[in-house]
Amino acid sequence: MTSAQVDTEKTPEEGYERGLGSRQVQMIAIGGAIGVGLFLGAGANIAKAGPSLIVMYALAGLIIFFIMRALGELLLYRPVSGSFAEYSREFLGPFFGYFTGWTYWLMWVVTGMAELTAAAIYVNYWFPSIPRWVTALVFLVILFGVNLISVKLFGELEFWFSMVKVTALIGMIVIGLGVLTLGFSNAGDTAAVSNLWAFDGFFPKGVGSSLMTLQGVMFAYLAVELVGVTAGESEDPEKTLPKAINTLPWRIALFYVGALTVILCVVKWTEFSEGVSPFVKAFAVIGIPAGAGIVNFVVLTAALSSCNSGMYSTGRMLRNLAESGEAPKAFSKLSSTKTPAFGILVSVLFMGIGVILNYIVPEKAFGYVTSVATAAGIWTWLMILISHVLYRRAVEAGRLPASSFPAPGGSKCSYVAIAFLLLVTGLIAYDADARVCLYVMAGWAAALGIGWAILKSRTPQIAERRETQFDKVG
């Protein structure tokens, strides 16, 4: 083995506790595919696209599967915590690793803001007199404490959060099917499969309006790639990661396509609106006693689950950046419980901006932060796909070993997914409300560019490290 290979194989997750078992990784993967984008954001998208939203979720879900298989191939080639930044650094160069790491950190910080906002909205359902910013702050402090204790506690909390979400969605589907087939409940007389096309057709607002929901749909899928961040702390990544990724299609088919189809058969699409969870609305229409309150509790756990994951991943990504010399060295230190406590603390302080937004503009806070999170997520996915294409080229040229978990179709599906993500970016640019996130990302890119220039001037070798290693491996 050459010295270059040793360097390349040295992973920055050293020192972490491999405390995530198979069941926890599985549920983190499942939970990552069920978030506030579905539970809350789907209401606004149903109002925009009607029943055709089902097709948008299915189409986007297929692309997400392509992305995750590309990531899976990379993960089994070299399982590292902070995977996206590491692969970008290796295959595209140091600047892209730096940019991807910081952008993924931004994605989770603003996603954390969105989830805190959503959690505050859900608590308002029971306690309308409590200001949203107070609720958001309380949850922020509690989850921060959980993430400081240990990765095992994080995994266990995430396991039960995900279990609540999965149980509730399966229950919603079963109850909905019961209403459709047996006709019980207040919705029994109006529930019918024909609701999918009876009110101005399956595409009531036109295909164009349906496509415009793709940005919101893609936000709902943010966090499926979180399983890649867990690679450095999984007990047996060779077994757990492929299993978690290969179960993604049925999760999307059941939890997104299946649940939305049932809901839109039970309740006609014209009754849904922005800011109201379609699941809460459906239970209210069905008339199950306390049903809406139960679902509200479930969607609250979904929001807290995602925020919990955000704190976990931001701390790991900051440590990855620090280990690579692209962030202050203080972020590389682990606490006595083997967690990157300082990185988590700084991330939580930035998530606190969401608390401020809930104080200043509570009505618009969710929309602002979800659009920025989606743009940052699209960049991360693009880097995964492009890294995968370049990795496949290196394998075919004999410069790198083949992965034990190759993506079906080689890099062809990655090219399809890249084209799709570019289409979604174009749709975001076309939408006047969502376009603001591109301005934010342009400012973010400029700030990172300045930061990179300063880093290079201080330590010129930072811009050479990964390219030379990759060349030597060849």
Side-chain angles (χ1 to χ4, degrees):
M1 181 178 288
T2 67
S3 60
Q5 284 174 310
V6 173
D7 288 342
T8 304
E9 288 170 9
K10 183 181 179 183
T11 56
E13 81 274 13
E14 289 174 356
Y16 283 133
E17 178 186 6
R18 288 193 176 270
L20 295 176
S22 177
R23 70 181 178 90
Q24 292 170 326
V25 172
Q26 292 297 317
M27 287 308 263
I28 287 170
I30 292 172
I34 309 169
V36 73
L38 172 65
F39 283 123
L40 181 62
N45 288 323
I46 291 171
K48 291 177 185 174
S52 65
L53 184 65
I54 296 167
V55 174
M56 297 301 109
Y57 270 106
L59 176 61
L62 177 64
I63 298 301
I64 290 296
F65 180 62
F66 291 165
I67 294 169
M68 290 303 294
R69 280 306 302 255
L71 176 59
E73 183 166 357
L74 291 169
L75 286 170
L76 270 294
Y77 146 67
R78 196 160 69 92
V80 289
S81 189
S83 55
F84 330 114
E86 275 295 294
Y87 302 136
S88 300
R89 196 173 286 122
E90 179 176 350
F91 296 108
L92 288 149
F95 174 75
F96 287 93
Y98 158 84
F99 196 100
T100 301
W102 277 109
T103 301
Y104 193 66
W105 174 83
L106 174 72
M107 185 200 92
W108 269 113
V109 165
V110 293
T111 298
M113 294 180 195
E115 307 299 0
L116 288 170
T117 301
I121 291 171
Y122 298 144
V123 170
N124 265 15
Y125 177 85
W126 295 300
F127 307 105
S129 60
I130 299 178
R132 287 185 189 175
W133 70 269
V134 172
T135 308
L137 181 60
V138 169
F139 285 138
L140 187 69
V141 171
I142 292 171
L143 293 178
F144 174 54
V146 167
N147 272 271
L148 285 187
I149 295 172
S150 74
V151 69
K152 284 185 177 178
L153 181 60
F154 157 79
E156 200 60 30
L157 187 63
E158 202 54 36
F159 175 85
W160 290 107
F161 273 154
S162 295
M163 185 67 77
V164 169
K165 291 187 286 187
V166 169
T167 303
L169 277 177
I170 293 174
M172 177 73 235
I173 292 169
V174 170
I175 291 169
L177 289 174
V179 172
L180 283 169
T181 55
L182 303 176
F184 67 83
S185 89
N186 297 346
D189 295 336
T190 56
V193 176
S194 60
N195 283 342
L196 294 177
W197 60 82
F199 301 93
D200 298 323
F202 191 71
F203 288 86
K205 301 284 185 77
V207 175
S209 291
S210 299
L211 288 173
M212 291 304 292
T213 63
L214 279 175
Q215 52 186 297
V217 169
M218 295 309 285
F219 173 76
Y221 285 123
L222 289 183
V224 291
E225 74 293 322
L226 181 66
V227 69
V229 182
T230 70
E233 293 170 274
S234 300
E235 288 175 353
D236 190 358
E238 287 279 343
K239 289 184 179 179
T240 57
L241 296 179
K243 186 177 179 183
I245 291 169
N246 279 335
T247 55
L248 188 65
W250 73 258
R251 284 185 267 133
I252 289 171
L254 178 65
F255 298 133
Y256 280 90
V257 179
L260 279 175
T261 301
V262 169
I263 282 177
L264 289 170
C265 288
V266 172
V267 183
K268 58 185 180 182
W269 72 269
T270 52
E271 294 190 28
F272 296 100
S273 61
E274 185 174 359
V276 177
S277 168
F279 295 85
V280 173
K281 176 71 176 177
F283 266 94
V285 171
I286 290 170
I288 296 175
I294 293 169
V295 175
N296 198 67
F297 169 74
V298 172
V299 294
L300 173 62
T301 64
L304 296 178
S305 165
S306 187
C307 190
N308 188 40
S309 298
M311 290 183 190
Y312 169 85
S313 58
T314 49
R316 272 72 183 170
M317 195 56 73
L318 285 178
R319 185 171 188 240
N320 176 273
L321 288 162
E323 291 279 349
S324 302
E326 297 159 358
K329 278 294 178 189
F331 290 130
S332 65
K333 295 177 182 176
L334 292 177
S335 68
S336 59
T337 56
K338 297 185 179 180
T339 61
F342 185 64
I344 296 171
L345 171 62
V346 171
S347 301
V348 165
L349 291 176
F350 275 93
M351 285 181 191
I353 295 171
V355 177
I356 298 170
L357 283 175
N358 274 288
Y359 180 73
I360 301 171
V361 282
E363 303 82 14
K364 297 181 179 179
F366 187 75
Y368 283 159
V369 293
T370 54
S371 63
V372 175
T374 303
I378 287 173
W379 172 271
T380 301
W381 291 334
L382 281 171
M383 289 301 100
I384 291 170
L385 293 166
I386 295 170
S387 295
H388 176 247
V389 168
L390 295 175
Y391 166 70
R392 289 301 295 238
R393 286 182 188 173
V395 171
E396 288 162 11
R399 297 199 305 272
L400 286 177
S403 170
S404 61
F405 187 47
S411 55
K412 294 184 183 69
C413 292
S414 290
Y415 281 116
V416 172
I418 288 168
F420 180 86
L421 292 178
L422 293 177
L423 167 66
V424 175
T425 304
L427 293 173
I428 290 173
Y430 182 74
D431 187 330
D433 291 332
R435 196 183 302 149
V436 66
C437 75
L438 298 181
Y439 301 141
V440 172
M441 290 305 295
W444 176 251
L448 287 182
I450 293 168
W452 181 251
I454 294 170
L455 275 175
K456 272 207 307 184
S457 67
R458 290 179 177 175
T459 51
Q461 66 271 25
I462 201 170
E464 304 165 5
R465 186 177 57 246
R466 288 291 177 185
E467 286 107 339
T468 52
Q469 280 187 1
F470 183 72
D471 290 340
K472 286 178 185 175
V473 173

